[in-house]
């Protein structure tokens, strides 16, 4: 193609530059985690199904630059994989970030071995410069659990609660205290306020979000351990759905748990593995998707709005703009709010895992075909100046660890623009050729992509073999009581309508799933 050895060498250099920033389409997955730090979204882990029905657990780590306006159809091809050391394959973990600190936290989860354990109980990732994992945090007795929730106060603290773990004796444990993780000091602590043990207050596969007041955390939906099976030593429980009218709250200022109930004629079906997002303009909470015990299918009533002031539920019919694609029902997905109105619905399962992304305008309740650029807040801008202008959008694909010293900032204090202006023309030529090749290869990649609905993306199949881990042997059978999107040991829906106090009712069918929790103050205050 080029007639000279110099041109050929230039092409090789440009191709190497492309490989360091190539876009990667994540394979279909669910039960992963995603957060937004400043103008970059990060997604980690999750699971999918491999040949023969085996569960594949992932340690793949991606970022998505949202600093510029993008077409939604282009998002799937805009991910960049971050390679290097990380916490290992994981799912059902709790994940939360603090954008001002440019750092997120992953706590617990179900790794590649025993479903209760991970390689490290609590880890952090700082996205400044090339990015760095901290895998050496002292747990300080913090219980190692999965299927729980972590919520950021957007300042310095992550609040971790719920889920289930396993004691050395083999008995299941359901944490009743709130764990606080102070991000700047990397210290874990707990509060004295406790939940009622083994009740609708000890939830798992539920969702949580910080209220508009900035200090109340709402917990909605999920399942709860009803009663242990006989003669199991507490190693297996029957489970029930938490009624969607039962709202659990934690006040971060008063360190107090409270409960409340919704009213009105509209009530969503009980659900688990949904998402919960606070709408900044109104303080309402948006529930998207979900599924139920003993099912791998999403619920058909997949979109609801909770008004926390009126304590009522409502729903909306979602529209589309200019041919934008609606994702529809799903579960085990992630939801991330960018700006004040762009809600990203990321991957998940419609019965089969996929890797699609949809963006919903929660002001107009319309699916978008173009995503506005995410803009830094004034505080984030100041933080970037302090960090020397480094940000997640400047990372290479090998940002799994950061070098010692200035973490990407120039020691001389010169801005990146000044340095770029001093680059010689030959290097600029390489960059131009590299950019042209990047767009050429990206277009070719788009043409080669197979529909993600089927989960048959050829590149995904190869990546599973190299980077994801078989976490189920043998494969699930039709007799498993656990939904096929979940891991064993099984969740079993109580057939007798077990109550938290150990008594039973004679209700059956849908009534078993609609257990009622009266308003109380769990800490007794």
């Amino acid at each position: 193609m080029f007639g000279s050895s110099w041109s050929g060498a230039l092409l090789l250099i440009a191709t190497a530059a492309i490989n360091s920033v190539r876009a990667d389409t994540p394979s279909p997955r669910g039960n992963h985690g995603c957060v937004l730090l400043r103008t970059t979204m990060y997604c980690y882990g999750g699971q999918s199904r491999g040949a023969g029905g085996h569960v594949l657990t992932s340690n793949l780590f991606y970022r998505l630059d949202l600093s510029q306006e993008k077409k939604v159809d282009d998002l799937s091809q805009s991910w960049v994989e971050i390679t290097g050391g990380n916490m290992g394959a994981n799912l059902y973990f709790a994940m939360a970030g603090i954008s001002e600190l440019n750092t997120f936290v992953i706590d617990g989860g179900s790794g590649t071995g025993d479903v209760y354990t991970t390689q490290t109980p609590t880890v952090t990732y700082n996205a400044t410069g090339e990015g760095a994992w901290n895998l050496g945090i002292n747990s300080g007795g913090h219980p190692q659990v999965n299927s729980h929730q972590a919520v950021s106060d957007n300042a310095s603290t992550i609040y971790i609660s719920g889920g289930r773990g396993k004691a050395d004796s083999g008995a299941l444990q359901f944490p009743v205290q709130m764990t606080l993780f102070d991000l700047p000091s990397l210290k874990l602590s707990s509060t004295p306020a406790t939940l009622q043990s083994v009740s609708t207050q000890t939830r798992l596969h539920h969702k949580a979000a910080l209220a508009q007041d900035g200090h109340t955390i709402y917990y909605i939906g999920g399942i709860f351990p009803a009663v242990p099976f006989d003669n199991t030593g507490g190693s297996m429980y029957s489970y029930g759905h938490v009624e969607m009218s039962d709202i659990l709250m934690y006040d971060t200022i008063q360190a107090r748990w409270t409960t409340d109930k919704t009213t009105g004629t509209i009530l969503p079906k009980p659900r688990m593995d949904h998402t919960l997002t606070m709408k900044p303009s109104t303080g309402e909470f948006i529930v998207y998707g979900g599924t139920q015990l003993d099912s791998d299918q999403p619920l058909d009533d997949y979109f609801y709005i909770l008004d926390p002031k009126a304590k009522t539920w409502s729903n909306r019919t979602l529209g589309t703009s200019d041919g934008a694609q609606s994702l529809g029902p799903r579960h085990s997905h992630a939801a991330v709010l960018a700006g004040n109105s762009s809600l990203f619905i990321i991957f998940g399962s419609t019965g089969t895992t996929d890797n699609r992304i949809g963006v919903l305008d929660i002001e107009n309740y319309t699916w978008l075909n173009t995503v506005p650029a995410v803009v830094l807040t004034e505080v984030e801008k100041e933080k970037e100046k302090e960090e020397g202008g480094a940000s997640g959008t400047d990372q290479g694909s090998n940002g799994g660890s950061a070098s010692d010293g200035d973490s990407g900032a120039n020691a001389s204090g010169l801005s990146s623009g000044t340095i770029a202006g001093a680059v010689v023309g030959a290097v600029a030529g390489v960059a131009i050729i590299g950019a042209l090749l990047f767009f050429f290869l990206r277009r070719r990649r788009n043409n080669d992509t197979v529909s993600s609905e089927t989960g048959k993306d050829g590149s995904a199949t190869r990546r599973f073999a190299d980077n994801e881990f078989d976490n189920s042997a043998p494969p699930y059978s039709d007799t498993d009581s656990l939904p096929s999107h979940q891991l064993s040991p099984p969740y079993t829906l109580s057939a007798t309508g077990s109550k938290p106090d150990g008594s039973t009712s004679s209700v059956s069918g849908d009534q078993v799933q609609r257990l009622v929790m009266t308003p109380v103050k769990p800490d007794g205050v």
Side-chain angles (χ1 to χ4, degrees):
M1 181 176 178
F2 292 98
S4 68
S5 59
W6 179 87
S7 298
L10 189 61
L11 176 62
L12 289 175
I13 296 172
T15 303
I18 293 172
N19 288 337
S20 68
V21 295
R22 72 181 188 276
D24 291 297
T25 302
S27 51
R29 64 196 54 235
N31 302 314
H32 50 291
C34 298
V35 297
L36 180 70
L37 298 180
R38 300 181 184 175
T39 61
T40 304
M41 187 181 299
Y42 296 87
C43 289
Y44 190 87
Q47 74 174 164
S48 187
R49 289 269 166 181
H54 285 248
V55 175
L56 299 171
T57 306
S58 174
N59 71 337
L60 295 180
F61 182 28
Y62 296 94
R63 64 178 174 86
L64 179 64
D65 177 17
L66 299 175
S67 61
Q68 297 181 351
E69 181 181 280
K70 284 184 170 65
K71 292 288 187 181
V72 173
D73 289 343
D74 293 336
L75 292 177
S76 291
Q77 303 293 332
S78 300
W79 294 95
V80 174
E81 183 184 348
I82 303 175
T83 60
N86 56 46
M87 72 180 302
N90 204 0
L91 73 158
Y92 289 144
F93 49 84
M95 186 176 187
I98 297 180
S99 190
E100 291 181 9
L101 302 179
N102 211 20
T103 301
F104 67 74
V105 176
I106 290 179
D107 183 82
S110 300
T112 58
D114 184 287
V115 297
Y116 301 100
T117 60
T118 57
Q119 294 183 8
T120 307
T122 307
V123 303
T124 64
Y125 180 82
N126 184 285
T128 303
E130 293 183 350
W133 288 94
N134 186 338
L135 307 178
I137 298 171
N138 187 344
S139 68
H142 168 52
Q144 192 167 333
V145 297
N146 64 57
S147 310
H148 54 312
Q149 286 290 287
V151 177
S152 162
D153 67 355
N154 298 321
S156 62
T157 306
I158 307 293
Y159 293 83
I160 303 169
S161 66
R164 67 171 184 175
K166 200 170 188 179
D168 293 338
S169 63
L172 293 179
Q173 294 180 323
F174 303 94
V176 295
Q177 288 183 294
M178 174 68 77
T179 296
L180 280 60
F181 180 64
D182 182 71
L183 192 50
S185 67
L186 304 178
K187 299 294 184 182
L188 287 150
S189 61
S190 61
T191 62
T194 59
L195 296 166
Q196 181 182 345
S197 180
V198 188
S199 72
T200 53
Q201 298 169 8
T202 49
R203 304 182 182 190
L204 54 159
H205 292 278
H206 56 305
K207 296 301 172 181
L210 187 67
Q212 191 180 43
D213 63 15
H215 63 85
T216 305
I217 302 174
Y218 277 65
Y219 298 85
I220 295 177
I223 61 176
F224 72 98
V227 291
F229 291 146
D230 293 335
N231 303 319
T232 61
S235 61
M236 189 171 292
Y237 281 75
S238 61
Y239 292 82
H241 290 108
V242 175
E243 175 65 43
M244 292 292 282
S245 62
D246 294 335
I247 309 301
L248 180 64
M249 296 168 286
Y250 182 82
D251 189 315
T252 62
I253 296 177
Q254 299 182 15
R256 176 183 298 180
W257 292 98
T258 56
T259 63
D260 210 339
K261 293 187 70 69
T262 64
T263 60
T265 58
I266 297 177
L267 182 64
K269 295 177 184 176
R271 65 197 59 215
M272 56 191 286
D273 295 338
H274 49 292
T275 54
L276 181 68
T277 307
M278 191 271 290
K279 181 178 176 180
S281 64
T282 64
E284 296 170 311
F285 291 96
I286 294 174
V287 167
Y288 194 99
T291 186
Q292 290 188 332
L293 290 163
D294 300 312
S295 173
D296 63 357
Q297 297 298 314
L299 293 168
D300 54 2
D301 62 329
Y302 64 94
F303 188 83
Y304 285 94
I305 302 167
L306 173 65
D307 183 337
K309 296 178 181 178
K311 302 178 185 178
T312 56
W313 288 99
S314 62
N315 47 29
R316 297 285 191 281
T317 299
L318 304 180
T320 57
S321 60
D322 300 327
Q325 185 178 20
S326 168
L327 290 188
R330 64 189 45 234
H331 63 82
S332 306
H333 54 288
V336 175
L337 183 65
N340 291 320
S341 61
S342 299
L343 181 61
F344 284 70
I345 305 297
I346 308 161
F347 313 151
S349 176
T350 60
T352 301
T353 52
D354 71 25
N355 58 358
R356 292 181 297 162
I357 304 175
V359 183
L360 182 67
D361 182 342
I362 59 174
E363 292 297 335
N364 300 313
Y365 299 108
T366 301
W367 292 101
L368 300 175
N369 63 3
T370 301
V371 185
V374 176
V375 180
L376 292 173
T377 66
E378 292 303 317
V379 174
E380 290 169 348
K381 290 178 182 178
E382 290 300 318
K383 289 288 185 180
E384 295 243 326
K385 290 180 180 179
E386 295 173 7
E387 296 160 0
S391 67
T393 58
D394 297 325
Q395 294 173 197
S397 64
N398 63 342
S401 60
S403 59
D404 294 334
D406 57 15
S407 299
N410 180 28
S412 67
L414 295 177
S415 68
S416 58
T418 302
I419 297 172
V423 175
V424 296
V427 176
V430 171
I432 293 172
I433 295 174
L436 292 173
L437 286 173
F438 171 79
F439 287 110
F440 170 77
L441 294 177
R442 178 175 172 181
R443 180 178 294 275
R444 185 177 69 180
R445 188 184 185 103
N446 284 340
N447 293 335
D448 291 342
T449 300
V450 181
S451 172
S452 61
E453 282 279 3
T454 64
K456 295 181 180 179
D457 186 325
S459 63
T461 302
R462 292 192 298 272
R463 299 197 70 77
F464 275 135
D466 294 336
N467 298 286
E468 303 196 344
F469 304 90
D470 190 344
N471 197 37
S472 65
Y476 290 115
S477 67
D478 293 337
T479 60
D480 287 332
S481 61
L482 180 67
S484 63
H485 67 284
Q486 297 170 6
L487 294 177
S488 60
Y491 295 101
T492 303
L493 181 63
S494 174
T496 59
S498 301
K499 298 179 180 179
D501 61 4
S503 62
T504 60
S505 65
S506 59
V507 298
S508 60
D510 186 62
Q511 288 177 297
V512 174
Q513 303 171 14
R514 293 183 174 273
L515 300 173
V516 177
M517 181 172 65
T518 58
V520 297
K521 294 182 178 180
D523 57 1
V525 179

